[in-house]
Amino acid sequence: MIEVRVKPGVEEKIRGFFSWVYNAEILEIKGEPKPGDFVKVLDSKKKFLGYGYINPNTKIAVRLLSFEKGEEISKELIKRRILSALEYRKKLNINSNAYRLVHSEGDLLPGLIVDMYDQYAVIEITTYGMFKMKDWVLEALVEILKPKGVYQKVSDYAMNIEGFDEEERILYGTVPERIKIWEGDLEFYVDVIKGQKTGFYLDQRRARKMIRDLVKPGDVCLDAFCHTGGFALSMIKKGAKSVIAVDMSERALSLGKENAKLNGLEGIQWVEDNAFHFLRKLYREGYKFDVIVIDPPSFARTKAHVENALRGYKELCVTGLKLAKAGGYFAIYSCSFHITREHLLEVILQASRDVKKPLRIVGESFQDLDHPWILQMPNTLYLKGIYLEVLR
Ligand code: SAH
């Protein structure tokens, strides 16, 4: 097996269960690695650190799957990892038949996402190493879950960086155009094949519950970047009088409308528009809301985009806070690792000065627990939400 020796000092991080080795941290490679090859990682004195796979063409050169001597990468290891991922989800007692089964580094399966929608699995592979193990992953999933179908989604962004090529397609069984899932007392259609990400924002499950706790019967609410209506439906179900739900994806909105029908819920006005423009328009027209949710897409995929992203957030906060009634609530999320909780708090603080409204923090949320967040791997925490009461 190819051996990768890391520079002195790097071993400490890896012994502390940090599972990446950056290219710049490599001292020496024994062998000529091709993308996806399995490697043994050693410290500078050639002591064992772990097993992983390599991509010599990317900044993150090695991703580890094991820190145990003798636990080499094999189909059995992949299967064991998926089994233990499943065991963990079972312990969570998730109140839904849709959940994330594998969350990449969070489950020691770097480069692999598996979402379960009822009896269908949706996988997304984001690294060359995992791409080479795809057959093992598929066999293990079929053996463990006996799904009716497995669908593969792809990320052009990841494939570009890693240098592999895959297509979106059914890998096993059959997959319907729409899968019906339930979460608590709501049902949703999920468009796995043509929808965004793997089809549904499972990571906001806990946030949907927290928003429900803030809504009172009769409230007038706003769901900005609503996608297929996860928050909007939760608000109406709690008794909100009306919700304005805006998104620029016509496809997401039309599924949102069907989701409302599916649950027999009325009172949501679906608007296809750019949320930035639309929020300003609402303000100009004098609208005010009891509860406002702002859940934008990732504006900062890399560090280089942070500044621009923060400008976007600032604008959303300023307009959003202006739209809030005194005593109303305002929630905002970042799903980018690079826009941290501290960034969000700072931007909200700046916005509150601009609009001269005192704010009380009434809650915070993170991605739900089926998207595990490993203390030693800070990048596994990507979704943050801040909930505020607008005091005047
Ligand atoms: N709140 C949603 C998830 C939001 S994901 C849920 O819980 O299901 C981000 C959404 O923002 C996507 O649906 C995308 O279509 C939409 N979007 C991206 N840019 C936008 C823009 N400028 N204006 C309106 N919607 C936008």
Side-chain angles (χ1 to χ4, degrees), residues 251-266:
R251 208 178 173 88
L253 289 171
S254 86
L255 204 54
K257 286 178 201 164
E258 298 215 28
N259 284 335
K261 233 185 269 159
L262 176 67
N263 292 278
L265 297 174
E266 281 172 16

Side-chain angles (χ1 to χ4, degrees), residues 83-270:
L83 269 172
S84 78
L86 181 62
E87 282 310 303
Y88 168 61
R89 272 65 180 183
K90 281 185 183 157
K91 281 192 287 192
L92 295 178
N93 287 319
I94 297 167
N95 191 16
S96 174
N97 64 348
Y99 59 94
R100 176 151 295 186
L101 170 62
V102 176
H103 186 56
S104 204
E105 277 84 1
D107 287 292
L108 265 183
L109 286 167
L112 179 65
I113 298 289
V114 182
D115 284 345
M116 292 303 300
Y117 295 110
D118 190 18
Q119 302 189 51
Y120 301 91
V122 181
I123 75 168
E124 187 178 320
I125 286 177
T126 56
T127 60
Y128 207 112
M130 199 47 82
F131 159 67
K132 280 184 68 175
M133 289 189 274
K134 194 174 97 178
D135 288 347
W136 290 354
V137 169
L138 185 61
E139 282 167 36
L141 285 175
V142 170
E143 283 168 31
I144 295 169
L145 299 157
K146 303 186 178 54
K148 284 191 180 160
V150 179
Y151 195 78
Q152 166 166 275
K153 296 289 278 186
V154 301
S155 151
D156 292 332
Y157 177 76
M159 290 195 301
N160 242 329
I161 293 177
E162 290 275 330
F164 67 96
D165 203 20
E166 275 283 356
E167 274 174 20
E168 302 209 334
R169 63 194 169 96
I170 295 175
L171 298 178
Y172 172 82
T174 56
V175 178
E177 218 165 89
R178 272 179 197 176
I179 302 171
K180 194 156 88 177
I181 60 156
W182 58 269
E183 182 183 284
D185 54 7
L186 290 173
E187 289 186 307
F188 295 93
Y189 290 120
V190 179
D191 179 357
V192 159
I193 297 173
K194 298 212 177 92
Q196 302 174 19
K197 296 238 279 189
T198 68
F200 193 72
Y201 289 86
L202 297 168
D203 50 7
Q204 288 284 40
R205 190 187 303 112
R206 193 183 345 186
R208 287 187 278 273
K209 200 161 166 286
M210 288 179 66
I211 288 298
R212 222 188 246 232
D213 290 343
L214 297 179
V215 173
K216 298 173 301 304
D219 275 356
V220 174
C221 304
L222 173 65
D223 178 2
F225 306 91
C226 65
H227 193 235
T228 56
F231 286 110
L233 264 69
S234 305
M235 290 161 150
I236 286 285
K237 187 78 183 176
K238 180 69 186 290
K241 184 168 83 187
S242 63
V243 180
I244 296 182
V246 58
D247 199 286
M248 66 180 197
S249 159
E250 186 196 344
R251 208 178 173 88
L253 289 171
S254 86
L255 204 54
K257 286 178 201 164
E258 298 215 28
N259 284 335
K261 233 185 269 159
L262 176 67
N263 292 278
L265 297 174
E266 281 172 16
I268 303 175
Q269 185 192 334
W270 304 91

Side-chain angles (χ1 to χ4, degrees), residues 52-85:
Y53 57 72
I54 191 164
N55 189 342
N57 306 322
T58 52
K59 212 167 97 183
I60 302 166
V62 177
R63 295 174 198 247
L64 284 94
L65 281 83
S66 171
F67 300 95
E68 302 287 328
K69 208 164 185 172
E71 193 182 58
E72 292 184 23
I73 300 175
S74 63
K75 185 187 160 193
E76 283 61 46
L77 178 69
I78 300 295
K79 192 169 172 187
R80 275 205 308 283
R81 290 268 183 274
I82 295 177
L83 269 172
S84 78

